[in-house]
Each structure stands twice: as C-alpha cells, then as structure tokens.
Amino acid sequence: MEVVLDRPGAVRLELLPPLALYVHIPWCVRKCPYCDFNSHERPGALPEREYVERLIEDLDERLPCVWGRRLVSVFIGGGTPSLFSPDSIDALLSAVRARLPLEPGAEVTLEANPGTVEAGRFRGFRQAGVNRISIGVQSFDERMLGALGRIHSGLEARRAIEAAAAAFDNVNLDLMYGLPGQDAAMARADLETALAFGVPHVSAYQLTLEPNTVFWSRPPALPEHDLCADMQLAAEELLGAAGYQHYETSAFAKPGRRCRHNLNYWEFGDYLGIGAGAHGKLSFPDRVTRHERAKQPAEYLKSLSGKETEVPPRELPFEFMLNALRLVEGFDVALFGERTGLPLSAVEKQLSEAEGRGLIERDWKRIRPTARGRLFLNELLALFLAAENKDRG
Ligand code: SF4
C-alpha cells in the first residue's frame, strides 16, 4: 500500500497545534534495573543552579521558533525532578513564564518519587507554580519494590501520596503490573491501595523488558502473557467501577482530569523539549520538525548541541497514528488534516484495510480503535508503517 500525497513533499497546515513544554531533569538517586529513560545516578550534590541556567539558555535558543504562541501545559519529568529544590523549580518556572505566556489554567506537572519528597517540599513546588504531581509509586508491595530496585518502601509511597494530596488536588499515581513474582491478587491489591487515596488520575503500565537495561541482559521471570492480559482487564474493571475513564492505553482519569500534557502528545500537538536528551516537535505552516539535545548531562551542561530534522511528509501519517490510535476514543477525522497538513485520503487504503480486519471503526466524525485494535495495536500501526516504507521504496 502506498501513502498517496496530492503533491508529494507538500504539507499545508492551516492552524498550528497547541504548544506544550517538556523539561527533562536527568538524575535519579539510583538507576532502576528496568529503566530505559535518560536517567543517571550522580553521587554528591546535583548541579542544580548550573542546570537550570542551561535549561533557560536552551529555551531562549528555541524561542524564535515559537514567537507569539502560548503554552497549554508544562511537564517537568525525568529522571527524578523532585530531587531539585523548590527554589530551583521556582527559578525555572519564573523564567518560562517570562518568556512564553501560559494559557490561563495551564497544567504544570512535576514528577516526584517517594523517598525524595516530604510535605514542605510539596508545598514549595506548589508555591513555585506546579499544579499537578505525578508520583512514581509502581507498587506498594515490599517484595515488588525490591524486585524493581526502587529506593522507597510501601510506607514511604503512602506517606508521599498523603503529603502530595495535602498540597495538590491534581495527583497522578504511576503503577506497574506484570512484575517478577506478581500474581493477579497482588496486582489487584496494589490498585485497591491506590484507589483508596481517591486521586483523580492513575496510570497503570505493564513492565516490559527494554534494551540497554539490566533486566534486558539478566531478565527476571515475569508472569505469563495471559496472566498480564488478565491483570490489565482487571485493572480496567476496577478503575472503571471506581469512576475512572480509561482514555489511553495506560491512562485512567476521573471526569475532567485527563492529563492535558499527555493528551497533547497523543493528539499530535506541538511541544518544545528542553534538557539533556529532551525531544521536541514543532509545526510550521509548511513543515513539521523534530529537535533533540545531547543525551549525557555532562555534555548538555557543556554545550547546547543537538539536532533538528524535518519530518518527511510520508512519515507523518504513521507518526500521527502512533499517537492518536492510543486514545480509546480515537480522534476526530478533521484532526488528521489539521495536524499533518495532509488529506485523510492519503491513508484511505490503510484505514479500509484496518476496518476490514476489525482493528478500527469509524463514522463521518471519528476514527477509533476497536477493542481488538487496542489489543493488537502493533498490528494496527504496522499498516501505516508499511505504507511509509513502501512509499520510501
Ligand atoms: S526512578 Fe524512574 S527515571 Fe529514575 S531510574 Fe527509576 S524508573 Fe528510571
């Protein structure tokens, strides 16, 4: 199948997408054996001031690409951003606000790990302008936390959630399932404990083995595929019964509490990425570009080298689908053209094929993955990837 472009190479964006900002803080107390994020152990004090200064220079360098635009959200991720002091986060957010206006009510998230935060620190982040906290709990079970190499205990996780909930009404808990030695009852117990806090957002991820991790070179025994699928279904049922809407593969939210920053990724919005190894995507009337910085913190602190590339138009349909088909409710048909600058007819053959295989359903307004499509998301996406490769050949 071939992606059909009216004028190959020509992208015409009538509107620029919403713009978000991602800030990467690349350090952790200890590297977890399953983690393939750009996170680094660093003994001794972190170069907080130096790093924040570099982040601001990084932002300054990107500003000409986004003049006149407003930020819909900011996400400070990592790594473990909660290792930075509230003063550093305040300096960072003040500099952001001085350079790029935030939409009224913009979501400003900071990732925090139990074991690195207490009540005063959460209040400090709140005063700095953070209005949403995402806590990397993963599990409350000591055996699971030990198997994952986490630095916190179940009790510390509970205390961190209580302290966060006292300072913030918008809190996400990250949980993992399919852990070494975990059975269905243990996975359920983790979810029930999380639900007892009544937080508005829960993300439940299946543990996967990723290249360049300790678990990849020395894999632990993980639960069978069918058991993991049962855990996922049980999570969907439990969270659904507790009033959470399942809106993306791993994301569940109370009404009105979906993560706006992540939704912007899934709706193929724009985002500036600043920080070591941070990626970004920006749209212009005639092209879509990607940018990234040097991955190693020491290199990033030395220079703002990196690269910027234009996304070839033939790759845009796959990139759009890779994000939008993760959404349980799919996407508005108009969004494809708005975000890629290509007509939907460019992927009509792929959409028909996906519909024929029962992977998507569509009407005049929306295109959404079916339950089967969500279960076999890679098969569904492969249709668009094949299209891209064929077009290239
Ligand atoms: S705390 Fe998070 S970012 Fe840091 S190593 Fe562990 S999983 Fe990776």
Side-chain angles (χ1 to χ4, degrees):
M1 265 183 296
E2 200 174 338
V3 172
V4 181
L5 302 180
D6 286 340
R7 289 165 50 211
V11 165
R12 288 279 166 267
L13 289 164
E14 305 287 333
L15 292 170
L16 294 183
L19 176 68
L21 173 68
Y22 175 75
V23 184
H24 192 74
I25 310 284
W27 292 288
C28 290
V29 174
R30 191 165 72 205
K31 182 80 180 177
C32 302
Y34 59 89
C35 176
D36 71 337
F37 296 158
N38 184 29
S39 57
H40 305 261
E41 279 182 34
R42 184 184 155 119
L46 297 178
E48 285 190 39
R49 216 184 64 192
E50 207 185 338
Y51 193 76
V52 169
E53 281 168 7
R54 181 44 55 109
L55 287 171
I56 297 167
E57 285 167 25
D58 192 348
L59 181 58
D60 279 337
E61 201 178 271
R62 300 274 180 222
L63 278 183
C65 301
V66 292
W67 281 132
R69 297 176 71 179
R70 286 172 172 267
L71 292 174
V72 294
S73 61
V74 179
F75 195 103
I76 307 172
T80 305
S82 52
L83 288 174
F84 272 28
S85 68
D87 282 349
S88 294
I89 299 300
D90 186 43
L92 170 68
L93 288 177
S94 300
V96 169
R97 281 189 294 264
R99 286 159 176 78
L100 273 175
L102 268 66
E103 290 279 359
E107 180 187 272
V108 182
T109 304
L110 179 127
E111 285 185 328
N113 275 340
T116 64
V117 271
E118 26 62 44
R121 214 168 170 86
F122 276 126
R123 281 196 298 274
F125 292 140
R126 170 88 230 181
Q127 279 158 11
V130 174
N131 56 25
R132 183 173 183 271
I133 288 284
S134 176
I135 307 181
V137 172
Q138 318 315 352
S139 175
F140 295 94
D141 183 312
E142 305 303 341
R143 286 164 297 172
M144 298 299 98
L145 291 167
L148 289 175
R150 301 291 298 189
I151 60 162
H152 66 269
S153 65
L155 182 62
E156 282 172 316
R158 288 181 175 82
R159 287 201 177 132
I161 299 167
E162 280 162 6
F168 294 89
D169 73 340
N170 207 357
V171 175
N172 167 61
L173 304 184
D174 276 349
L175 292 176
M176 294 175 86
Y177 63 91
L179 307 178
Q182 192 180 42
D183 63 25
M186 291 157 82
R188 191 180 177 90
D190 269 346
L191 268 172
E192 284 171 343
T193 307
L195 288 180
F197 290 98
V199 293
H201 198 286
V202 173
S203 304
Y205 301 100
Q206 182 179 343
L207 174 65
T208 52
L209 301 183
E210 303 296 339
N212 301 317
T213 63
V214 172
F215 274 6
W216 182 262
S217 39
R218 278 179 273 133
L222 296 180
E224 295 293 326
H225 176 78
D226 285 357
L227 178 52
C228 291
D230 287 349
M231 289 178 187
Q232 165 77 20
L233 282 178
E236 289 176 17
E237 274 174 30
L238 203 64
L239 285 154
Y244 292 81
Q245 296 164 341
H246 182 200
Y247 69 102
E248 184 270 345
T249 311
S250 311
F252 301 81
K254 291 272 179 74
R257 296 308 190 97
R258 297 178 182 202
C259 175
R260 282 187 235 150
H261 186 84
N262 286 342
L263 268 178
N264 189 50
Y265 292 140
W266 297 322
E267 290 175 348
F268 210 46
D270 278 0
Y271 54 100
L272 275 172
I274 59 171
H279 291 245
K281 172 215 164 220
L282 291 176
S283 303
F284 299 87
D286 60 348
R287 66 193 189 284
V288 177
T289 63
R290 292 209 173 269
H291 56 264
E292 66 180 275
R293 292 295 188 203
K295 213 171 156 192
Q296 291 299 325
E299 200 181 332
Y300 178 76
L301 282 167
K302 256 192 250 144
S303 97
L304 283 178
S305 59
K307 59 179 183 187
E308 188 167 333
T309 48
E310 184 174 334
V311 183
R314 64 174 176 267
E315 293 179 13
L316 286 168
F318 174 72
E319 292 217 7
F320 176 89
M321 297 298 174
L322 184 66
N323 288 284
L325 289 173
R326 296 179 65 92
L327 291 167
V328 174
E329 291 156 16
F331 58 92
D332 190 299
V333 291
L335 194 72
F336 179 84
E338 273 175 34
R339 297 291 195 260
T340 65
L342 302 170
L344 194 62
S345 57
V347 286
E348 179 49 40
K349 283 184 193 157
Q350 288 77 23
L351 290 171
S352 297
E353 170 90 24
E355 199 175 16
R357 290 201 214 166
L359 297 169
I360 61 162
E361 53 191 13
R362 55 178 170 164
D363 53 31
W364 62 276
K365 186 89 181 99
R366 290 196 83 78
I367 295 172
R368 63 178 71 80
T370 57
R372 183 181 151 75
R374 283 192 278 124
L375 198 59
F376 298 102
L377 188 58
N378 287 343
E379 184 190 329
L380 171 54
L381 293 174
L383 291 174
F384 298 92
L385 186 62
E388 176 199 315
N389 289 338
K390 180 83 178 273
D391 187 57
R392 186 178 295 164

